[in-house]
Amino acid sequence: MLNIIQIPVLTDNYIYLLHDSVSGETAVVDPALAQPVLEILDINGWQLTYILNTHHHWDHVGGNLELKQKTRCRIIAANSDSERIPGIDRGVFEGDVIALGSHQATIIETPGHTSGHIVYYFAKDEALFCGDTLFAMGCGRLFEGSAEQMWTSLQKLKVLPSLTRVYCTHEYTQANGRFALSVEPDNVQLQQRMIEVAKLRLLNKSTLPSTIEVEKATNPFFREDNSRLQKKLGLEDQSAVIVFTELRKRKDSF
Ligand code: ZN
Ligand code: FE
């Protein structure tokens, strides 16, 4: 079994620590900071094997160099971002497979939030580490890509098996859900999800991971092909990309 530990850091970031007890190998996804990771490694008596970065933003790579120096781990990230990922050892491409013990992750390139953004998909473990591409009821802002590029990237995630757990890097769920409700006020599953999310946040608990299935039912950026949503936007029978572009635009100023 792949042991997954969620570490909340900064205002709303999550670092994920992955451990395979058979091989003893351990990976960390997007270490914004080194110290909280070192503490959990220490508590469990684990040695860090890899850092897996999804993209170059500081709140995803901030702990890279300190962790590398203290644990001698290897850093894996998109080859196209070799110049921007501190300490990178191995640059990966779409379709590459990396292994943590017997657990394998496929690299999926998802440009949009940044040009070199990648996600790590552990098919057998039904787990997706999607960085700032897909959020609960939302998606990443377009800093280095077009809406069409982001839409294309999200299509690659939308087709993953419905029970795949979605491990996003930020606790943006409640704010995203408020926007989702503004464009789909009649979506009953969305209404129910927001009640559950409110309960969790009141207790300061994490709302993640989500699943592909839940996102398909409640995330407007996965529902650009829904006719009622299109009608609400005044974009009936428009292409999915046009609807997606309008959604992203509205969310930016929501
Ligand atoms: Zn980012
Ligand atoms: Fe981020």
Side-chain angles (χ1 to χ4, degrees):
M1 202 189 79
L2 186 65
N3 196 337
I4 302 173
I5 295 180
Q6 183 183 56
I7 314 171
V9 296
L10 304 174
T11 317
D12 50 35
N13 276 72
Y14 290 121
I15 298 173
Y16 295 103
L17 202 55
L18 320 182
H19 178 73
D20 169 51
S21 52
V22 176
S23 65
E25 292 196 330
T26 304
V28 65
V29 181
D30 285 351
L33 305 169
Q35 209 51 45
V37 177
L38 291 167
E39 278 166 28
I40 307 276
L41 288 169
D42 195 44
I43 289 167
N44 289 283
W46 296 343
Q47 292 223 330
L48 192 61
T49 320
Y50 299 114
I51 291 173
L52 311 177
N53 290 129
T54 63
H55 66 294
H56 73 90
H57 285 157
W58 68 272
D59 62 318
H60 299 252
V61 303
N64 273 24
L65 294 180
E66 188 181 343
L67 284 172
K68 186 173 178 174
Q69 190 214 333
K70 293 189 171 154
T71 69
R72 290 193 226 110
C73 65
R74 282 170 54 80
I75 300 179
I76 297 173
N79 189 71
S80 63
D81 260 346
S82 298
E83 306 288 309
R84 306 198 286 185
I85 301 284
I88 186 170
D89 292 296
R90 178 181 168 193
V92 289
F93 299 88
E94 171 93 12
D96 279 359
V97 175
I98 60 152
L100 187 73
S102 62
H103 304 274
Q104 296 192 323
T106 303
I107 308 303
I108 304 173
E109 292 178 350
T110 58
H113 178 67
T114 66
S115 57
H117 199 295
I118 57 172
V119 303
Y120 298 85
Y121 173 49
F122 289 79
K124 287 216 183 92
D125 301 285
E126 301 182 302
L128 173 70
F129 296 90
C130 54
D132 287 358
T133 293
L134 175 63
F135 292 123
M137 296 183 274
C139 73
R141 281 179 187 269
L142 306 176
F143 287 119
E144 298 173 8
S146 66
E148 182 161 8
Q149 221 174 11
M150 183 59 128
W151 178 80
T152 305
S153 294
L154 288 171
Q155 298 316 298
K156 296 181 184 174
L157 307 186
K158 198 172 166 180
V159 297
L160 296 178
S162 57
L163 294 181
T164 304
R165 288 164 295 161
V166 176
Y167 292 90
C168 320
T169 320
H170 290 275
E171 181 60 62
Y172 289 161
T173 310
Q174 200 165 25
N176 286 341
R178 288 190 190 111
F179 172 74
L181 273 177
S182 78
V183 289
E184 270 201 295
D186 302 327
N187 181 334
V188 177
Q189 263 179 278
L190 175 57
Q191 293 165 358
Q192 284 168 349
R193 186 177 188 190
M194 281 302 276
I195 293 168
E196 283 157 33
V197 164
K199 282 185 197 157
L200 289 168
R201 295 311 296 151
L202 207 59
L203 301 169
N204 214 14
K205 284 189 180 167
S206 169
T207 63
L208 299 166
S210 177
T211 64
I212 293 293
E213 185 174 44
V214 168
E215 293 313 312
K216 277 161 120 178
T218 57
N219 187 333
F221 297 97
F222 261 12
R223 296 172 58 75
E224 75 293 337
D225 51 0
N226 179 279
S227 57
R228 292 179 78 180
L229 173 65
Q230 291 179 356
K231 197 173 172 193
K232 178 82 181 167
L233 298 175
L235 293 173
E236 282 163 291
D237 303 322
Q238 295 290 324
S239 77
V241 175
I242 288 176
V243 178
F244 178 84
T245 306
E246 176 65 16
L247 280 168
R248 192 55 259 178
K249 208 173 105 193
R250 288 195 187 202
K251 176 66 170 66
D252 285 341
S253 56
F254 184 70

